[in-house]
């Protein structure tokens, strides 16, 4: 997907509104986020770097429940403010920090994190391989990387590609995704995948929030663009995404 910088700013702003009712900005339930922590956090005091950390739910939960220390990096001031508030609310503000920055320019100390993650934002490295390359320097010897990625349940229809603004080849099927990970030098040692219900629980609150925003902001300069964005997303999911698109977190070792 190629975007001008104003398109990117629009999409980010629209997403900030649509995600108003979600804590996890991906089709992953709280229970699966907890499961992921039990799978990959090596123990109390483990250091976690989360690129594109959104509202910080993963780091806050893992700090509260598993005793990790963490850094989240995200471009959105709205999401970073929510993440800091969530850290206060969960009592972990001394263990996690949230940095408002483009993750591609964040300089983490080499080898200084036991877990390095990027859940649902592989465009930051222009795709899966580039994002793994971006994440890898921060990983400590023997550490674990987590990448959240879209995959197709089979060969995507032309309608699905057009509705999601994707090119054939931007994403692979599940086995193909694991092959791409292997080609980038990593082994997939575990995976936690979204169910159809996880997807519905991710998308439904976005529709609610989008319609609530439109009702609360009649005459706003964004009104028509926001309505069209909401409608396109709704349509793409119901016609194609729900049947054809998967999402999962892949747990990787070098
Ligand atoms: C689909 S959300 C996932 C958020 C979070 N990982 C989660 O699972 O809740 C994508 C996130 O990427 C952030 N983002 C997009 N481009 C970014 C960049 N270049 N650097 C840092 N964050 C970015 C957005 O602000 C958003 O929070």
């Amino acid at each position: 997907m190629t975007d001008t910088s104003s398109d990117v700013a629009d999409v980010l702003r629209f997403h900030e509104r649509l995600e108003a009712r979600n804590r996890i900005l991906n089709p992953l339930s709280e229970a699966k986020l907890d499961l992921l922590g039990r799978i990959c956090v090596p123990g109390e005091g483990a250091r976690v770097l989360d690129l594109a950390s959104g509202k910080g739910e993963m780091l806050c939960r893992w700090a509260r429940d598993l005793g990790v220390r963490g850094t989240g990096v995200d471009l959105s001031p709205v999401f970073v403010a929510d993440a800091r508030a969530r850290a206060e609310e969960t009592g972990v503000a001394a263990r996690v920090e949230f940095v408002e920055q483009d993750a591609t320019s964040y300089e983490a100390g080499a080898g200084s994190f036991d877990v390095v993650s990027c859940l649902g934002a592989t465009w930051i490295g222009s795709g899966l391989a580039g994002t793994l390359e971006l994440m890898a320097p921060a990983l400590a010897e023997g550490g674990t990387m987590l990448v959240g990625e879209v995959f197709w349940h089979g060969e995507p229809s032309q309608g699905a590609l057009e509705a999601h603004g994707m090119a054939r080849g931007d994403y692979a099927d599940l086995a193909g995704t694991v092959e791409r990970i292997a080609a980038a030098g990593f082994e997939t040692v575990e995976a936690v995948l979204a169910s159809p219900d996880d997807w519905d629980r991710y998308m439904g609150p976005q529709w609610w929030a989008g319609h609530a925003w439109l009702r609360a902001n009649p005459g706003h300069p964004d009104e028509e663009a926001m309505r069209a964005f909401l409608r396109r997303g709704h349509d793409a999911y119901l016609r194609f995404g729900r049947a054809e698109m998967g999402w999962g977190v892949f747990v990787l070792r070098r």
Side-chain angles (χ1 to χ4, degrees):
M1 281 181 277
T2 51
D3 285 311
T4 66
S5 57
S6 70
D7 287 338
V8 171
D10 286 349
V11 167
L12 184 59
R13 191 168 70 254
F14 296 165
H15 266 291
E16 287 167 348
R17 294 169 185 155
L18 291 188
E19 301 277 20
R21 296 171 67 85
N22 290 335
R23 273 198 187 137
I24 304 168
L25 312 185
N26 273 309
L28 199 61
S29 64
E30 293 188 357
K32 286 186 183 172
L33 203 53
D34 294 343
L35 170 65
L36 193 60
R38 292 197 299 276
I39 289 171
C40 74
V41 171
E44 179 136 4
R47 301 152 302 169
V48 182
L49 173 65
D50 188 24
L51 300 180
S53 47
K55 296 188 184 181
E57 186 64 14
M58 185 184 84
L59 284 181
C60 291
R61 293 179 90 79
W62 290 4
R64 181 190 65 194
D65 302 337
L66 302 171
V68 307
R69 311 188 74 85
T71 300
V73 183
D74 199 282
L75 203 54
S76 161
V78 172
F79 294 156
V80 168
D82 283 350
R84 289 177 182 151
R86 183 69 175 145
E88 293 290 344
E89 189 183 47
T90 48
V92 299
R95 305 179 70 85
V96 297
E97 60 164 350
F98 292 99
V99 181
E100 184 190 321
Q101 191 181 321
D102 188 323
T104 58
S105 62
Y106 182 74
E107 292 190 11
S112 52
F113 289 91
D114 304 298
V115 178
V116 179
S117 56
C118 176
L119 306 191
T122 52
W123 59 83
I124 67 171
S126 306
L128 182 56
T131 301
L132 296 179
E133 201 174 310
L134 192 72
M135 296 161 71
L139 191 66
E141 192 60 36
T144 303
M145 298 226 299
L146 304 177
V147 67
E149 180 74 328
V150 159
F151 59 87
W152 296 111
H153 288 305
E155 188 59 32
S157 65
Q158 193 56 30
L161 293 170
E162 285 168 13
H164 290 91
M166 292 173 180
R168 201 172 292 280
D170 282 352
Y171 297 95
D173 64 8
L174 186 52
T177 303
V178 171
E179 279 166 15
R180 287 180 178 195
I181 289 168
F186 293 88
E187 209 165 348
T188 301
V189 296
E190 251 280 19
V192 176
L193 306 183
S195 68
D197 189 52
D198 297 331
W199 269 107
D200 290 343
R201 288 299 79 234
Y202 178 50
M203 301 306 291
Q206 295 189 39
W207 303 335
W208 181 291
H211 287 290
W213 186 92
L214 286 168
R215 275 197 308 277
N217 292 278
H220 191 285
D222 279 348
E223 184 180 2
E224 281 321 304
M226 184 73 190
R227 193 183 305 283
F229 189 77
L230 179 63
R231 193 175 298 137
R232 270 201 310 277
H234 202 160
D235 203 56
Y237 179 67
L238 294 179
R239 284 185 194 285
F240 304 104
R242 195 171 191 279
E244 297 188 47
M245 189 181 277
W247 191 86
V249 180
F250 299 86
V251 181
L252 316 183
R253 287 280 169 84
R254 270 199 181 97

